[in-house]
Every structure is written in C-alpha cells, then in structure tokens.
Amino acid sequence: MKRIGLRAMMLCWLTVVWVLLWGRVSGANVLGGLAVALLITVLLPLPLVPVQGRLNVLALPRLITKVAYYLVLSSIQMAWLAVRPGPPPLAAVLRAPLNLKSDLILALAVNVINLIPGSIVIEIDAERRMIYVHVLDVGSDRAVQRFHHQIAEVERLMSATFEAHA
C-alpha cells in the first residue's frame, strides 16, 4: 500500500513539473504531463533504496542553520579569494571519513558538502566510508583543520537529524 502511495505521489510530482515547464495550466498540459510521468515511471523505474533511521525534527533546524551559515561564510571566502591580490590559492584533494550508517544519508551529506562553495566531493568510497574532496585554499594548517571540522560537523548534524541511535 505504501509503495502505491509513493508511486502516486511520484506521478503527481512529475505531472506538476511538466505543467510548470510548459508555464500554463491546461487540460492538455495536465494529460500530457500524466502520460510522460507514466512513461517515465514504467520504463525508467527508480531502484528501491533501503531507508533506515528516523527524522529528528528537533535537530533539523540546527542542520539547516549550520548549512546556511556555511553557505554564507564560504561564499564570502570564495569572493575574497577571487578579488584578493596575490597568487591563486593552493588547492588539494583531501580525504575525510564519514561514518554514516545509511547510504542514503551518506548521499545527503555529500550533497550538503557539495553545496558549500570551495569544495566538491570527487569520490566516495562507500565500503571504507571515506570521501575525497577537492578543496580550494588549503595553504595553511588552519584551513585544512577548518575543512576537517566542517566535515565532522556536517556528519554529526546529519547523524543527529536522520539516523536512529540505540
């Protein structure tokens, strides 16, 4: 029953996206969107993703606030690096552990890290729970420590928000 509900929600969502892409609500656009949504969900079904854990609504605002803070702070740092005089910043690929239990939560954490300007995850080692991140401005030990602190904090907040603890 839950699966049917999820498919119905997916059909509705894809139909809404179709109508928004056309920019006008009409019977033809809704029917066309429904037809395209049916084709997509029948011919290209998404694999089932095991979902573990639970959503902690008390930790969610902390996660959102911290990610917003990192977005603003990193955007200011990237703007400064772009306009400051001197040589370009030193970039490197850094490895960081992410001990999240669920692959879904690991993927969410990677997306959060990718949203932060100045860093992008280039590889995920799911078996060893390691990520490899290209980071701008690693010219000092303080910058490297700041990166590792950021990753640890994102991991802690994702775990507190989405993973079930015994």
Side-chain angles (χ1 to χ4, degrees), residues 35-143:
V36 169
L38 280 168
L39 280 172
I40 289 172
T41 56
V42 170
L43 296 178
L44 305 168
L46 291 172
L48 292 176
V49 176
V51 178
Q52 304 168 5
R54 48 81 181 119
L55 175 65
N56 182 347
V57 293
L58 297 177
L60 186 61
R62 287 193 312 257
L63 175 66
I64 292 170
T65 303
K66 190 51 107 172
V67 169
Y69 168 75
Y70 280 148
L71 285 171
V72 171
L73 179 67
S74 294
S75 296
I76 292 168
Q77 290 170 343
M78 290 302 105
W80 171 245
L81 288 174
V83 299
R84 74 182 171 113
L90 180 64
V93 175
L94 301 177
R95 179 179 63 191
L98 276 182
N99 296 314
L100 297 167
K101 298 172 193 160
S102 166
D103 286 342
L104 179 63
I105 306 307
L106 177 65
L108 287 172
V110 165
N111 282 315
V112 167
I113 293 164
N114 282 338
L115 283 174
I116 299 171
S119 63
I120 187 159
V121 177
I122 57 173
E123 186 178 344
I124 304 168
D125 184 350
E127 280 184 25
R128 295 187 320 165
R129 292 298 200 223
M130 289 282 191
I131 58 171
Y132 297 86
V133 185
H134 183 272
V135 182
L136 290 176
D137 193 23
V138 292
S140 69
D141 287 339
R142 184 171 178 240

Side-chain angles (χ1 to χ4, degrees), residues 4-22 29-30 32-38 40-41 46:
I4 293 171
L6 286 173
R7 289 214 179 223
M9 285 176 45
M10 180 65 76
L11 287 174
C12 290
W13 174 247
L14 289 172
T15 303
V16 167
V17 169
W18 180 266
V19 171
L20 288 173
L21 286 172
W22 281 100
N29 281 345
V30 171
L34 190 57
V36 169
L38 280 168
I40 289 172
T41 56
L46 291 172

Side-chain angles (χ1 to χ4, degrees), residues 94-96 133 135 142-152:
L94 301 177
R95 179 179 63 191
V133 185
V135 182
R142 184 171 178 240
V144 173
Q145 288 172 352
R146 185 173 54 238
F147 161 77
H148 284 291
H149 174 73
Q150 244 180 348
I151 297 297

